[in-house]
Amino acid sequence: QIGQLVALRGETPIAFADELECRWRESRCDLLFSFERVWRCDLYRAGDGVHRAWLKRRARSRGLLARIGANFNRKHAEILRLEDSLLRRRGAARVIANSRMVMAELAKFYDYPANRIDLIYNGVPLAEFGPRESVRAEQRATLALGPDEIALLFVGSGWERKGLRVALDAMRLAKNPKLRLFVAGRGNERNFQSPGVQFLGETSDLPALFAAADIFVLPTIYDPFSNAC
């Protein structure tokens, strides 16, 4: 029988991992399957990819001061400590990767053995996302889209990493009045205000938005296998 630990919310990544460690010792859990970076577990799903790889990728797109500041960021430092514990020190008995890119990064940055990695891609509910002309027409009407307007859809939270700034720059460069960009997800809207952009916030009916859109836009800086894709 597999025991189930309740979801925990620590104030910091280390606090979360420490609390989980205590709960795990007290529980009768036979298997610990973690979706988060913790000190150790039986099975770790690296759904967010490799944090060290993400920081390296992000550094290329940032200025010198921003790169230096990242070295003193407490959250990044804690995540790297936990990642090191799971991967370099083999605190994770096995790892699930959701892309070949992540498999390669696990080996490159932490020398994690390939025979302990399972590659499982994200599933796609095809019945929900198949062609639906009636839904498309209804949703385009809800978004007040004209028949000749081109709807671009950006889906995701963590807009810096997902590349929303790049999408906005592309909109400005295109100078096409028929383009409209719809952004679904959480983020600081004030930092990304731009003509032709509409923020939809978090939405439960993503299939309808995909049906209404003409082009899916995700110029992400780093993503192992985005669920939006």
Side-chain angles (χ1 to χ4, degrees), residues 50-117:
V50 175
H51 197 69
R52 193 173 297 279
W54 147 233
L55 291 178
K56 187 173 182 180
R57 186 84 59 88
R58 187 178 74 158
R60 299 177 194 162
S61 63
R62 310 189 87 194
L64 177 60
L65 290 178
R67 294 199 300 270
I68 293 174
N71 295 328
F72 299 95
N73 184 292
R74 177 183 175 184
K75 181 178 180 181
H76 290 317
E78 291 197 0
I79 292 174
L80 289 175
R81 280 183 61 194
L82 294 170
E83 197 170 81
D84 189 80
S85 178
L86 278 178
L87 303 174
R88 194 186 311 282
R89 300 180 185 178
R90 309 295 192 258
R94 291 194 72 85
V95 174
I96 293 176
N98 59 4
S99 72
R100 294 187 182 278
M101 180 190 83
V102 173
M103 290 185 70
E105 290 174 348
L106 290 168
K108 176 181 177 180
F109 290 92
Y110 292 104
D111 197 28
Y112 196 86
N115 63 357
R116 288 167 59 177
I117 303 173

Side-chain angles (χ1 to χ4, degrees), residues 193-210:
Q193 292 292 338
S194 185
V197 178
Q198 183 174 338
F199 296 95
L200 305 175
E202 294 183 78
T203 175
S204 59
D205 196 4
L206 281 174
L209 285 178
F210 276 98

